[in-house]
Amino acid sequence: MRLTLNVLLAACIVAIAVPAYAELQNVEVGGSLRIRGNYYSPEAVPQPRPRVFNPFAGAFQFDDTGHSAAFVEQRTTVSVSADFTDDVSAFIELDSYEIWGTNFRDSYIFSANAAQSPFANDVDVYQGYIEAREVFGRPVSYRIGRQEIMLGSEWLMGNNDTAAGFTGLSFDGISGRYELENWHITTFWAKLVETGAVEEDGDTDLRGIYATYNGLEDWVVDLYYIGLRDAAEPTLATPNGGLLGGISDTIEDIFGVDQFDEVTTIHTFGLRGAGTFGQFDFEGEIA
């Protein structure tokens, strides 16, 4: 009964969020339940960060001197999709990601059953967006709200749904898609960090454009740009900054400057090609 009420509430929110001129036509309710056990041996031990950044040095060293890692992860999702007139739709997805044994409510020592800690993992709004298609009669669509952004093979940007720790990854922002006969172009802007609603700056923003050409038989070519602007504090040049801290120290050593003291801008350009040749699949990407 509780699940039914939550689904109905989500459907009401979807209906209210869409402009009044669009009438509700169809509602679909979905969800997923994914459980996986993970076991790692030998143990992965974090490496100390070197003073000079080495791109070929791993962040972990593997040995058999300690305990192996074993855990069971579970991700549960419930979604509501609503289609309206005028090519307008809305989508809401709730999810909960848990590691078995981290939220057990009983204390076997004191025989006490209590509610979960307010800081424990709970149900979150994983996605929630409005989508408009065929805008102004053109092959253009856009989404506004929290959404997944998956580019190409998801080498740089995806939904974190394949490796161990399938926590999912969504972005708060706006994305648009322009579809031609042989071209698909996706643009996006996302707010990664909001340090405060009253400040002028200090946030972290992500933007980009991803173009796909599929006019070649059995081949697809992607060309893209991703830009990051990080004006958040504290700076990345910290004693325990990990990989980014190592890059920062190397920049200081070589150029005598620390670009992380102020606004950090990172521009990434990439090219990807994938296709088939006979019974073989090929893929290559450089950024």
Side-chain angles (χ1 to χ4, degrees):
M1 183 64 180
R2 183 179 179 183
L3 176 60
T4 302
L5 291 177
N6 288 338
V7 171
L8 290 177
L9 178 60
C12 291
I13 295 174
V14 170
I16 295 173
V18 176
Y21 65 81
E23 297 181 358
L24 179 62
Q25 290 183 322
N26 182 51
V27 174
E28 295 183 1
V29 179
S32 65
L33 176 60
R34 188 176 180 185
I35 302 174
R36 182 171 65 186
N38 300 276
Y39 178 79
Y40 295 93
S41 181
E43 181 187 40
V45 181
Q47 286 273 52
R49 178 173 62 86
R51 173 61 180 173
V52 178
F53 171 64
N54 181 2
F56 302 103
F60 296 88
Q61 64 178 1
F62 295 89
D63 58 41
D64 55 0
T65 60
H67 298 288
S68 299
F71 62 94
V72 177
E73 56 185 335
Q74 175 173 331
R75 186 174 182 225
T76 308
T77 67
V78 176
S79 62
V80 178
S81 176
D83 293 324
F84 297 83
T85 58
D86 300 319
D87 292 317
V88 176
S89 64
F91 183 76
I92 290 180
E93 184 176 24
L94 310 179
D95 83 328
S96 177
Y97 178 81
E98 308 284 348
I99 301 295
W100 282 13
T102 58
N103 287 334
F104 189 52
R105 298 185 178 186
D106 180 69
S107 172
Y108 69 91
I109 297 178
F110 301 103
S111 299
N113 300 105
Q116 295 183 8
S117 166
F119 303 102
N121 293 333
D122 208 341
V123 177
D124 296 314
V125 178
Y126 176 66
Q127 292 193 88
Y129 60 81
I130 297 175
E131 181 176 14
R133 299 175 297 274
E134 298 294 329
V135 181
F136 302 116
R138 305 292 296 175
V140 176
S141 62
Y142 65 84
R143 291 179 178 178
I144 301 177
R146 179 167 296 181
Q147 58 191 279
E148 293 181 335
I149 300 178
M150 295 174 286
L151 304 179
S153 62
E154 304 181 39
W155 180 42
L156 296 183
M157 287 188 62
N159 61 359
N160 286 4
D161 198 37
T162 54
F166 43 72
T167 58
L169 179 63
S170 55
F171 300 83
D172 296 327
I174 303 173
S175 67
R177 185 176 177 88
Y178 184 39
E179 299 187 12
L180 299 174
E181 181 179 359
N182 295 323
W183 285 93
H184 294 165
I185 301 175
T186 299
T187 61
F188 61 89
W189 168 85
K191 176 70 68 175
L192 302 186
V193 176
E194 173 62 69
T195 57
V198 297
E199 100 294 342
E200 182 180 3
D201 204 351
D203 301 341
T204 303
D205 298 274
L206 186 71
R207 62 190 183 277
I209 180 170
Y210 198 96
T212 299
Y213 179 72
N214 54 12
L216 302 176
E217 184 178 0
D218 298 327
W219 276 89
V220 61
V221 178
D222 299 336
L223 181 66
Y224 59 88
Y225 162 78
I226 301 174
L228 176 72
R229 183 182 187 275
D230 184 359
E233 294 290 342
T235 65
L236 294 176
T238 58
N240 296 316
L243 176 62
L244 292 176
I247 298 175
S248 171
D249 291 339
T250 303
I251 292 175
E252 287 186 81
D253 295 339
I254 297 177
F255 300 102
V257 297
D258 183 359
Q259 69 170 16
F260 297 105
D261 281 342
E262 299 178 356
V263 176
T264 300
T265 55
I266 300 177
H267 305 282
T268 302
F269 297 88
L271 178 66
R272 171 180 174 266
T276 60
F277 182 77
Q279 300 299 316
F280 294 93
D281 297 330
F282 295 93
E283 180 180 1
E285 185 167 356
I286 184 172

